[in-house]
Amino acid sequence: MRKAVGIDLGGTFMKGAVVAQGGEILVKDEIPTRADEGAERVLERLAVMIRDLATRAQVPLSELAGIGVTIPGFLDRKTGVAKEVVNMGWRDVPVGQLLGSALELPIRLENDANAAAFGEAIAGAGKGRVNVLCVTLGTGVGGGIVLDHRILHGQSDMAGEIGHIVLDPEGALCNCGHRGCLETTSSATGVSRMAKEAVASGVETTLAQCEEITAKDVFMAAARGDEAASHVVARAIERLGQGLAIAANLLNPDIIVVGGGMSRAGDALFHPLQHAFSRYALTRVRHAVQVVPATLGNDAGVVGVAHLAFE
Amino acid sequence: MRKAVGIDLGGTFMKGAVVAQGGEILVKDEIPTRADEGAERVLERLAVMIRDLATRAQVPLSELAGIGVTIPGFLDRKTGVAKEVVNMGWRDVPVGQLLGSALELPIRLENDANAAAFGEAIAGAGKGRVNVLCVTLGTGVGGGIVLDHRILHGQSDMAGEIGHIVLDPEGALCNCGHRGCLETTSSATGVSRMAKEAVASGVETTLAQCEEITAKDVFMAAARGDEAASHVVARAIERLGQGLAIAANLLNPDIIVVGGGMSRAGDALFHPLQHAFSRYALTRVRHAVQVVPATLGNDAGVVGVAHLAFE
């Protein structure tokens, strides 16, 4: 069984795992990123973690297929350079070269959303499927498209940006500068924002008692029968169903995998989502696809990026 | 130079051409389909036309790379069967087998929208590009996606259905049964419908003088300064820009090719369309892509489907 290392590089933590082809995680670890120490020092500590992971998994470094690293920002996959990682202050860091010469292994970089989508498509909820759309409901709404077992990157590495499709040109202002993007209503942030607006408008709701209103608070209040919260949840899910149906009419996938923090709401999300999706997708598109929860959770990134190293 | 035959099968006419690899049409012809004679007789006459085209192009049949046939309905590409062609009354017609045995050549079937998109991507406005989205503004809004020089079919041959992405859930009823699909506002039919509604609402417009209001009438009236017509044109283009931007955020193409009857409006369409597109697409998506007119016109289908036969 071939093995590779997947690294999920984040602004706060670096997670790593030795992953067997097929998706099994043999060992994993997590250390603080400490981006303020500078890229070279961060990558030195990362190389130490990788050696340590290989030792614990009892795999000689030289027998690894390679190392995959997710980059939370813009990158050049061909040269292995992290072009711009805002929350780590990185600009033009030759991650592939620095790690590759330290470990004498091929290094593959991928952005975090695509890596997670690839993980779910190859070894998670999309395993065995051909055309996979992955959507992550978190602070924003992320997306990744895997067609025929390959990530769709597009012309400038921007493919899959479902969070920024504009559904309501008169809607709320999005971080991207446009109005009414899908993520203004259907991310955790969007749900929280709509709930706060409901409270501010003076409607009667138990949410008025929360100090900070999170998406989880809103889903819980809706489950208790709070009408204002139910209305917010319904709106978030209706727009998500519309957005997924739009993507499905374009891509005609065989599976849509929905992950991220908000997907933990389970049936309270997926039942109405499937109905909403059906209201907007073409019949033949709808019949060809399932909308399902992600199965790899926070491991999707390391599993996906490790699998890129197998290629 | 390799050559192939492309056939554009329509309910009224069958068009055929001998096409050189690269896109040049050497000879072409068109005969009535006469679908009422039955599929076998139609295909017999089609085989005669193909032999005649080869003779005129001075290419022995055996030297052709193959025959590509567009089917205006549902088909099974692997078995070469036209599953259902409503406007010709065809059901489960083994086009590949019947034509193939008559001509002793490989036969490739493709639906008409994908064939036209492939033609523009390989030999038309998208020549040399990698990720191409083609949109046709006619009775409906058709679409085709060509990624890395291959047509994206999707799980049930439905990929590229941009005409049925729902932009306005409260909008006009579409033939597909949903409300507010892109084609309810941005097809020739949609423009005509909105103009008729404007006339019926009693606003002052020169369109009131038209017996039947076509999309062309509306564009011409707008060009003359008719305010109601300008409003209809602006709305059609605004929604089209939004729809193209949504598709672009998902696919990150390097070119979007817009064809079909309404694209003949030229700058009156493309100037405002580019502005509208910019208002809805992510900056890095917008910077990677051009929105351009199709160049092959009605030949896109035969050119595209002939090129499938080269594969």
Side-chain angles (χ1 to χ4, degrees):
Chain A
M1 177 81 79
R2 295 168 77 209
K3 299 172 187 76
V5 168
I7 301 293
D8 197 344
L9 198 62
T12 314
F13 285 97
M14 303 190 275
K15 292 188 293 183
V18 176
V19 180
Q21 197 158 18
E24 196 195 346
I25 291 182
L26 305 178
V27 296
K28 60 179 171 177
D29 200 2
E30 185 171 284
I31 58 173
T33 305
R34 296 209 288 262
D36 55 311
E37 292 179 357
E40 287 200 21
R41 182 75 193 104
V42 168
L43 292 173
E44 273 168 29
R45 286 191 293 105
L46 184 57
V48 172
M49 177 169 84
I50 292 169
R51 284 180 196 281
D52 178 52
L53 283 168
T55 306
R56 281 172 51 205
Q58 302 182 292
V59 190
L61 266 191
S62 60
E63 284 180 22
L64 287 169
I67 315 276
V69 184
T70 71
I71 303 289
F74 296 117
L75 61 137
D76 184 326
R77 276 171 294 114
K78 278 186 195 127
T79 58
V81 172
K83 302 292 286 177
E84 193 178 353
V85 184
V86 174
N87 65 349
M88 292 168 68
W90 284 15
R91 205 168 239 288
D92 294 317
V93 175
V95 175
Q97 192 190 306
L98 292 171
L99 268 189
S101 61
L103 298 166
E104 294 185 330
L105 279 168
I107 312 289
R108 284 284 299 267
L109 307 192
E110 185 53 81
N111 82 49
D112 45 4
N114 283 346
F118 194 61
E120 288 290 345
I122 291 290
K127 194 168 183 169
R129 304 303 184 109
V130 179
N131 295 316
V132 183
L133 168 66
C134 286
V135 177
T136 305
L137 309 176
T139 314
V141 174
I145 298 166
V146 180
L147 302 176
D148 226 351
H149 313 296
R150 290 173 59 197
I151 296 168
L152 177 68
H153 288 104
Q155 181 64 13
S156 54
D157 264 335
M158 293 292 286
E161 284 285 0
I162 193 172
H164 296 285
I165 65 174
V166 174
L167 297 183
D168 177 6
E170 328 268 82
L173 193 63
C174 183
N175 287 331
C176 75
H178 294 137
R179 285 189 174 274
C181 294
L182 175 59
E183 74 176 41
T184 62
T185 55
S186 305
S187 61
T189 319
V191 168
S192 163
R193 177 190 61 76
M194 292 190 294
K196 283 174 194 162
E197 282 175 9
V199 170
S201 78
V203 298
E204 199 183 321
T205 167
T206 58
L207 292 169
Q209 299 152 16
C210 303
E211 198 166 331
E212 175 63 20
I213 305 174
T214 65
K216 194 175 173 184
D217 293 332
V218 182
F219 271 87
M220 282 168 64
R224 285 193 312 265
D226 185 293
E227 216 172 294
S230 300
H231 184 75
V232 166
V233 166
R235 185 158 168 227
I237 294 176
E238 189 72 16
R239 290 289 76 79
L240 181 59
Q242 183 187 355
L244 294 184
I246 285 175
N249 282 351
L250 289 165
L251 300 166
N252 190 200
D254 47 341
I255 196 159
I256 298 176
V257 179
V258 181
M262 234 167 70
S263 72
R264 291 196 207 109
D267 287 351
L269 171 70
F270 282 91
H271 278 174
L273 177 57
Q274 266 138 358
H275 284 285
F277 177 75
S278 297
R279 278 195 290 281
Y280 297 107
L282 284 170
T283 307
R284 285 172 58 91
V285 168
R286 174 161 51 85
H287 286 164
V289 69
Q290 285 179 280
V291 180
V292 302
T295 58
L296 299 182
N298 293 331
D299 291 331
V302 290
V303 169
V305 84
H307 275 76
L308 288 172
F310 289 126
E311 300 199 332
Chain B
M1 177 81 78
R2 294 168 77 211
K3 298 172 188 77
V5 168
I7 301 293
D8 197 341
L9 197 62
T12 316
F13 285 97
M14 303 190 276
K15 292 188 292 181
V18 176
V19 180
Q21 197 158 17
E24 196 195 345
I25 290 181
L26 305 177
V27 296
K28 61 178 169 177
D29 201 359
E30 185 172 283
I31 59 173
T33 305
R34 296 209 287 263
D36 55 312
E37 293 180 356
E40 288 200 20
R41 182 75 192 105
V42 168
L43 293 173
E44 274 168 30
R45 286 191 291 105
L46 184 57
V48 172
M49 178 171 84
I50 292 169
R51 284 180 195 281
D52 178 52
L53 283 167
T55 306
R56 282 172 50 205
Q58 300 183 294
V59 190
L61 265 192
S62 59
E63 284 181 20
L64 287 170
I67 316 276
V69 183
T70 70
I71 304 290
F74 297 116
L75 61 138
D76 185 326
R77 276 171 293 114
K78 278 185 195 131
T79 59
V81 172
K83 303 291 286 176
E84 191 178 355
V85 184
V86 174
N87 65 350
M88 292 167 69
W90 284 15
R91 204 169 242 287
D92 294 317
V93 175
V95 175
Q97 192 190 308
L98 292 171
L99 268 188
S101 61
L103 298 165
E104 295 185 331
L105 278 168
I107 312 291
R108 283 284 298 265
L109 307 192
E110 185 53 81
N111 82 49
D112 46 2
N114 283 346
F118 194 61
E120 287 291 346
I122 292 289
K127 194 170 182 168
R129 303 302 183 107
V130 179
N131 295 316
V132 183
L133 169 65
C134 286
V135 177
T136 306
L137 309 176
T139 314
V141 174
I145 298 166
V146 180
L147 303 176
D148 226 351
H149 313 296
R150 290 174 58 198
I151 296 169
L152 177 68
H153 288 104
Q155 179 65 12
S156 54
D157 264 335
M158 293 292 288
E161 284 285 0
I162 193 172
H164 296 286
I165 65 175
V166 174
L167 296 183
D168 177 7
E170 328 269 85
L173 193 63
C174 183
N175 288 330
C176 74
H178 294 138
R179 286 192 172 274
C181 294
L182 175 59
E183 73 176 43
T184 62
T185 56
S186 305
S187 62
T189 319
V191 168
S192 164
R193 176 190 61 79
M194 293 190 292
K196 283 173 193 164
E197 283 176 8
V199 170
S201 77
V203 298
E204 200 182 321
T205 166
T206 58
L207 292 169
Q209 298 151 20
C210 302
E211 199 166 329
E212 175 64 18
I213 305 173
T214 66
K216 193 176 175 184
D217 293 331
V218 184
F219 272 87
M220 282 170 63
R224 285 192 313 264
D226 184 293
E227 215 172 293
S230 300
H231 184 75
V232 166
V233 165
R235 184 157 169 228
I237 294 176
E238 188 72 17
R239 289 290 76 80
L240 182 59
Q242 183 187 353
L244 294 184
I246 284 174
N249 282 352
L250 288 166
L251 300 167
N252 189 200
D254 49 340
I255 196 158
I256 298 175
V257 179
V258 181
M262 233 166 71
S263 72
R264 292 196 207 108
D267 287 350
L269 171 70
F270 283 91
H271 278 174
L273 177 57
Q274 266 138 0
H275 284 285
F277 177 76
S278 297
R279 277 196 290 282
Y280 297 107
L282 284 169
T283 308
R284 285 171 59 91
V285 168
R286 176 162 51 85
H287 286 164
V289 68
Q290 286 179 283
V291 180
V292 304
T295 58
L296 299 182
N298 292 331
D299 292 331
V302 290
V303 169
V305 84
H307 276 76
L308 288 172
F310 289 126
E311 299 198 334

